[in-house]
């Protein structure tokens, strides 16, 4: 082998070695990037899992309507009830959106805010204190700016309780708790040719618990206390904590006994699991 051939062989070997080194670096870098991507994916997956375990959110929409222009006097208890209940629910871990003397727009916006925040693991509570009217076998919460002259006005100007419950269900709420203190003799009843007193039965859709201040079709008079009879008893039982179903049923029994059967609240339940006040995660 002459000198030129030897020099060429050395160059060929050097080039081959350099090429092999480059390929190795590329393979190593690619492997490192893959490992980083896998690690990152694991981290995201872990964050998502740990963020969803044991973190049941609790939301409440509390509406207290007291100043209706067509009423002879304001419903002062409704405002007091909404404030006291909001305070108690916050102590029990609920994120409360409270609205006082809500117009139709106020109520629609409040329901929209609630809808946007409901997730699959959310326990949701709705409270309404004020005037309620049934129309077409459905119960409606009336805003303070409602102008009611006939039954069709109720459907147009009111907010359907069943509609709000259906929204909670469609959003996938874990459980739905509803307290309606609206079985009052309202100022619009004489304007209807055919009028149905009180509220219609409120259906407890899947995994729901509903408490209404009187039996369907019945009306109750407000007492002279700071709070309505329903909310007074409900707050008493809520402070003792326990399961939601127990709180609702104890409230119903206490009011029925105290009124000697004149006022019998309605409790309707389709709960599939225990929901507790004052305990995280249920």
């Amino acid at each position: 082998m002459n000198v030129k051939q030897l020099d060429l062989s050395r160059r060929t070997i050097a080039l081959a070695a350099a090429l092999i080194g480059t390929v190795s670096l590329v393979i190593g870098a690619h492997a490192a990037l893959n490992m980083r991507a896998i690690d990152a994916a694991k981290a995201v997956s872990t964050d998502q899992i740990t963020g969803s375990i044991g973190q049941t959110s609790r939301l409440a929409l509390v509406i207290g309507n007291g100043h209706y222009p067509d009423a002879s006097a304001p419903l002062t208890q409704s405002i007091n009830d909404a404030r006291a209940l909001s305070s108690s629910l916050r102590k029990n871990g609920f994120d409360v959106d409270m609205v006082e003397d809500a117009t139709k727009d106020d109520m629609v916006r409040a329901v929209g805010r609630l809808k946007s925040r409901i997730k699959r693991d959310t326990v949701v509570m709705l409270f309404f204190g004020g005037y309620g009217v049934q129309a077409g076998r459905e119960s409606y919460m009336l805003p303070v700016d409602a102008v009611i002259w006939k039954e069709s006005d109720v459907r147009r100007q009111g907010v359907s309780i069943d509609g709000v419950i259906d929204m909670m269900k469609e959003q996938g709420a874990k459980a739905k708790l509803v307290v309606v203190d609206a079985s009052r003799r309202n100022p619009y009843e004489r304007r209807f040719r055919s009028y149905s007193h009180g509220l219609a039965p409120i259906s407890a859709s899947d995994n729901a618990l509903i408490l209404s201040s009187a039996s369907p079709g019945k009306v109750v008079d407000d007492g002279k206390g700071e709070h309505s009879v329903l909310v007074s008893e409900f707050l008493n039982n809520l402070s003792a904590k326990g399961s939601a179903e127990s709180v609702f049923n104890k409230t119903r029994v206490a009011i029925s006994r105290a009124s000697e059967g004149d006022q019998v609240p309605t409790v309707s339940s389709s709960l599939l699991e225990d929901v507790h006040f004052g305990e995280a995660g249920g």
Side-chain angles (χ1 to χ4, degrees):
M1 181 181 294
N2 57 35
V3 176
K4 290 184 178 180
Q5 289 177 329
L6 181 60
D7 186 52
L8 181 60
S9 297
R10 289 176 177 173
R11 290 180 182 178
T12 302
I13 292 170
L15 288 172
L19 180 60
I20 292 171
T22 301
V23 171
S24 298
L25 287 173
V26 170
I27 292 173
H30 183 68
L33 288 173
N34 282 341
M35 289 302 295
R36 288 178 184 176
I38 292 171
D39 290 342
K42 288 181 179 178
V44 171
S45 178
T46 301
D47 287 343
Q48 289 175 341
I49 293 173
T50 55
S52 63
I53 293 177
Q55 292 188 5
T56 300
S57 62
R58 296 179 174 211
L59 301 176
L61 172 57
V62 176
I63 302 173
N65 285 353
H67 294 85
Y68 291 85
D70 288 325
S72 58
L75 302 174
T76 56
Q77 288 181 338
S78 294
I79 303 297
N80 295 336
D81 292 344
R83 293 174 180 175
L85 184 58
S86 293
S87 177
S88 183
L89 288 174
R90 289 188 179 106
K91 293 176 182 177
N92 279 275
F94 282 82
D95 187 349
V96 181
D97 183 2
M98 184 182 70
V99 186
E100 296 181 9
D101 284 335
T103 64
K104 174 67 178 292
D105 286 344
D106 291 335
M107 293 176 70
V108 170
R109 284 195 295 268
V111 171
R113 288 193 299 271
L114 181 66
K115 179 179 179 180
S116 68
R117 301 184 64 194
I118 295 175
K119 298 178 182 178
R120 181 179 55 82
D121 64 345
T122 305
V123 173
V124 188
M125 181 166 179
L126 168 68
F127 169 81
F128 175 74
Y131 286 122
V133 175
Q134 63 168 299
R137 297 182 180 179
E138 192 168 349
S139 296
Y140 292 83
M141 304 177 285
L142 295 186
V144 294
D145 62 345
V147 179
I148 307 295
W149 289 98
K150 52 188 182 296
E151 186 174 340
S152 59
D153 292 335
V154 175
R155 290 191 290 268
R156 188 178 69 255
Q157 306 233 354
V159 175
S160 167
I161 298 172
D162 290 291
V164 176
I165 297 172
D166 287 342
M167 176 276 290
M168 296 175 183
K169 178 181 177 181
E170 291 169 1
Q171 293 301 107
K174 176 182 178 182
K176 301 167 282 293
L177 311 177
V178 180
V179 178
V180 182
D181 192 8
S183 298
R184 295 178 168 90
R185 189 175 302 280
N186 68 70
Y188 316 106
E189 61 182 10
R190 294 183 180 179
R191 300 175 181 177
F192 295 10
R193 291 181 180 178
S194 60
Y195 179 75
S196 297
H197 292 287
L199 299 180
I202 303 171
S203 175
S205 61
D206 297 346
N207 218 13
L209 179 64
I210 299 169
L211 170 64
S212 185
S213 55
S215 303
K218 300 293 185 179
V219 295
V220 294
D221 296 323
D222 286 335
K224 297 181 180 180
E226 181 182 4
H227 299 292
S228 71
V229 175
L230 179 74
V231 172
S232 292
E233 292 296 340
F234 187 78
L235 289 173
N236 287 339
N237 287 291
L238 188 61
S239 63
K241 307 197 184 302
S243 72
E245 198 153 3
S246 173
V247 170
F248 279 44
N249 282 321
K250 287 180 179 179
T251 299
R252 177 181 62 81
V253 171
I255 293 173
S256 179
R257 287 176 176 172
S259 66
E260 297 183 345
D262 287 340
Q263 180 179 350
V264 182
T266 299
V267 174
S268 179
S269 175
S270 64
L271 284 182
L272 303 176
E273 56 190 294
D274 285 338
V275 177
H276 285 76
F277 289 107
E279 293 184 12

